[in-house]
Amino acid sequence: MSAYNMARLLVLMLTVSPAVWGDDIDTSISQGREAYQHGDVSQAIGRLEYALQRLRQRNSERLAMYLPSPLPGWEALGSRAGVPSGAVSSNYSAAEREYYTQTGLVNVRIEMDSPAIHSVAMLASNPAYAKSTGATVKHLAGYKAVIHYDCDAKDGDISLLVDNQYLVTVEGDGVSLEELEAYLTSVG
């Protein structure tokens, strides 16, 4: 193929909508539907599970866009998007990023449709029960936050449930509660 035709093809590929030429998710869904219609249920399940996995990965990548920049005096590692390692379920999306100084470490994680949402919702809706677990409930960023923090050890975590679908968790070691709250309120 000549350089001219190669350039024309490249321009065409870059200007045509993904809906026209499809993507691996569309292809996988179509292949799953076709396998199902031909009675190959096992193949259909495999193709559709792949499509779900890719959709969750895309959600995770979108969640990563809401992770905050480092606070002044802090550094950050790159963000990670996908199902967290060691997760009990792979049916949710997540993104996280670590931040550090010479004395402190903070991890910010955003999860969508996480199984942990129910536990946080229970604690946030019942401050007396939260207190019996060593937590406090406080309003932050317009939502109820569940806080576990040890002033002496300077470590703890804050979990915030947003619209019963998103869970934002900020965990820290060697940090003040104010720094954890600052990271939480800077998400988005």
Side-chain angles (χ1 to χ4, degrees):
M1 182 181 290
S2 72
Y4 175 74
N5 285 337
M6 181 69 87
R8 287 181 56 200
L9 179 61
L10 182 60
V11 168
L12 180 64
M13 288 174 62
L14 292 174
T15 58
V16 173
S17 163
V20 172
W21 49 266
D23 63 17
D24 64 329
I25 295 172
D26 284 332
T27 301
S28 188
I29 292 170
S30 296
Q31 290 171 344
R33 183 181 310 110
E34 186 176 313
Y36 174 75
Q37 290 168 344
H38 287 95
D40 190 349
V41 176
S42 179
Q43 181 73 11
I45 290 171
R47 295 296 180 179
L48 294 174
E49 283 180 343
Y50 174 77
L52 287 170
Q53 175 189 356
R54 291 288 296 128
L55 287 168
R56 286 186 190 100
Q57 182 62 35
R58 283 196 184 171
N59 271 346
S60 295
E61 291 164 1
R62 288 185 181 127
L63 292 175
M65 294 187 307
Y66 294 98
L67 293 169
S69 298
L71 294 176
W74 286 74
E75 299 290 328
L77 300 175
S79 63
R80 293 183 303 275
V83 177
S85 60
V88 175
S89 169
S90 62
N91 295 333
Y92 67 102
S93 304
E96 65 183 323
R97 189 173 191 191
E98 289 186 345
Y99 306 84
Y100 62 93
T101 63
Q102 289 187 357
T103 59
L105 177 68
V106 168
N107 183 60
V108 177
R109 183 174 54 255
I110 306 170
E111 300 172 82
M112 180 179 175
D113 299 325
S114 167
I117 285 174
H118 303 294
S119 298
V120 173
M122 184 171 55
L123 291 170
S125 67
N126 189 339
Y129 178 65
K131 187 174 182 176
S132 74
T133 68
T136 58
V137 177
K138 177 179 177 180
H139 277 85
L140 291 172
Y143 299 94
K144 286 183 181 179
V146 177
I147 303 169
H148 293 93
Y149 186 75
D150 182 334
C151 294
D152 295 329
K154 294 185 75 173
D155 72 354
D157 61 79
I158 304 174
S159 296
L160 184 84
L161 183 59
V162 179
D163 299 331
N164 290 322
Q165 186 177 17
Y166 301 95
L167 178 61
V168 180
T169 304
V170 179
E171 301 168 312
D173 186 27
V175 296
S176 68
L177 181 57
E178 291 76 19
E179 288 169 311
L180 290 177
E181 290 177 357
Y183 269 108
L184 180 78
T185 58
S186 65
V187 169

